[in-house]
Amino acid sequence: MKEEILDSLSKISILIVEDDNVALTLLKSALKPYCMSVYTANDGYEGLESFNKNNPDVILTDIHMPMMNGFEMMNEILKTKPHQKFIIFTSYDTDNNLLKSVKAGAALFLKKPIDIEILRSMLMSLSVKSQDKLIKLSHDISINLEREKIYKGGNEVYLTFLQNKLFWLLAYNLNSLVTYDKITEYVYEDENVSKSAIQNIVLRIKKELGIKIKNLSELGYMMTSQR
């Protein structure tokens, strides 16, 4: 069982958001040797920036933090990636907090002090929940949303860095509008970018994959699945 847990952890990236530096260091030390990547942040704002930059598989977050708390950060992240996986931990284990966690999108809830073995088991359960269900974008193109893989004629294909970030932002929000502001925030990490530059990337994705991405006037873009 332990070997299974360690094997599952080695395939996932994790972001830890915690304002207590001692707790943050302990969690990082306990997970880093076993996980593919471990990122850290001291508050919700830093956590949001790290999410936009690194797109972790699982986010571990405290609730009570300065600047931006865990719930506020989660709500912002879920606007970009509705299926993001979270584990929330807090010292205040009340029914109200648990309910708020579930409504905010938390996958699992853990009370402090953190039991590392329980945390590792939770992470394993999240990693094995990834489904192999494919979503068809066209006759040739299908995607695995959980594993973030693109297939063309059954073979995996790859995009450039910016193309990949934009593609998955649109895929997370399939059949829904993704605004220019959201594209700038997530893909370009709030750097100034022209609409024509975004359009050029969209055109390259459409040309390479042969999929439908609609431009909705001056609002943004929408990727559509095959009906």
Side-chain angles (χ1 to χ4, degrees):
M1 182 64 177
K2 185 175 181 180
E3 289 75 14
E4 184 181 358
I5 291 176
L6 297 181
D7 183 61
S8 298
L9 291 180
S10 69
K11 300 173 183 177
I12 63 175
S13 58
I14 293 171
L15 167 61
I16 307 170
V17 188
E18 168 63 80
D19 64 319
D20 183 329
N21 285 325
V22 174
L24 183 64
T25 300
L26 289 174
L27 286 169
K28 181 179 179 180
S29 299
L31 296 176
K32 188 173 182 179
Y34 308 106
C35 297
M36 182 173 66
S37 303
V38 177
Y39 310 102
T40 60
N42 286 117
D43 58 51
Y45 281 117
E46 288 187 8
L48 186 57
E49 290 178 356
S50 183
F51 163 77
N52 288 335
K53 182 178 181 179
N54 301 303
N55 187 24
D57 296 310
V58 183
I59 298 175
L60 317 180
T61 183
D62 194 4
I63 294 177
H64 303 282
M65 297 182 291
M67 305 297 289
M68 176 186 284
N69 67 39
F71 291 126
E72 293 168 335
M73 179 194 70
M74 288 175 65
N75 285 331
E76 289 301 312
I77 289 173
L78 290 170
K79 291 176 184 177
T80 298
K81 189 177 179 182
H83 306 294
Q84 177 64 50
K85 297 174 181 177
F86 294 94
I87 294 177
I88 282 190
F89 39 83
T90 180
S91 301
Y92 307 94
D93 187 8
T94 67
D95 290 340
N96 184 51
N97 274 342
L98 179 57
L99 181 61
K100 286 177 68 177
S101 297
V102 173
K103 287 183 176 179
L108 296 169
F109 187 85
L110 191 58
K111 189 178 183 300
K112 291 182 176 180
I114 305 300
D115 184 310
I116 296 300
E117 291 303 318
I118 293 177
L119 176 58
R120 288 173 180 163
S121 296
M122 283 184 169
L123 289 168
M124 185 191 77
S125 73
L126 289 180
S127 67
V128 299
K129 283 181 181 178
S130 295
Q131 300 178 0
D132 290 323
K133 180 181 178 181
L134 296 179
I135 299 172
K136 291 189 70 66
L137 301 183
S138 70
H139 176 70
D140 290 327
I141 301 295
S142 58
I143 60 173
N144 184 315
L145 198 60
E146 289 284 347
R147 299 180 185 276
E148 293 188 357
K149 292 184 180 294
I150 309 169
Y151 299 97
K152 185 172 185 178
N155 297 313
E156 188 173 357
V157 296
Y158 303 91
L159 301 173
T160 65
F161 178 75
L162 285 179
Q163 288 175 356
N164 194 64
K165 287 203 76 172
L166 179 53
F167 176 90
W168 286 110
L169 175 60
L170 296 171
Y172 300 148
N173 299 276
L174 198 61
N175 299 313
S176 298
L177 170 68
V178 178
T179 65
Y180 282 109
D181 287 343
K182 179 56 68 176
I183 292 172
T184 300
E185 175 190 353
Y186 182 73
V187 179
Y188 294 91
E189 299 176 35
D190 283 327
E191 291 185 8
N192 290 328
V193 61
S194 66
K195 290 182 179 179
S196 61
I198 296 173
Q199 182 182 36
N200 286 335
I201 292 182
V202 171
L203 290 174
R204 288 199 293 270
I205 293 173
K206 291 171 67 175
K207 181 178 180 181
E208 185 162 344
L209 300 180
I211 58 176
K212 294 181 180 180
I213 302 177
K214 298 178 181 179
N215 180 221
L216 302 180
S217 185
E218 293 297 311
L219 301 176
Y221 290 91
M222 178 191 297
M223 181 186 291
T224 58
S225 57
Q226 188 178 62
R227 300 296 184 181

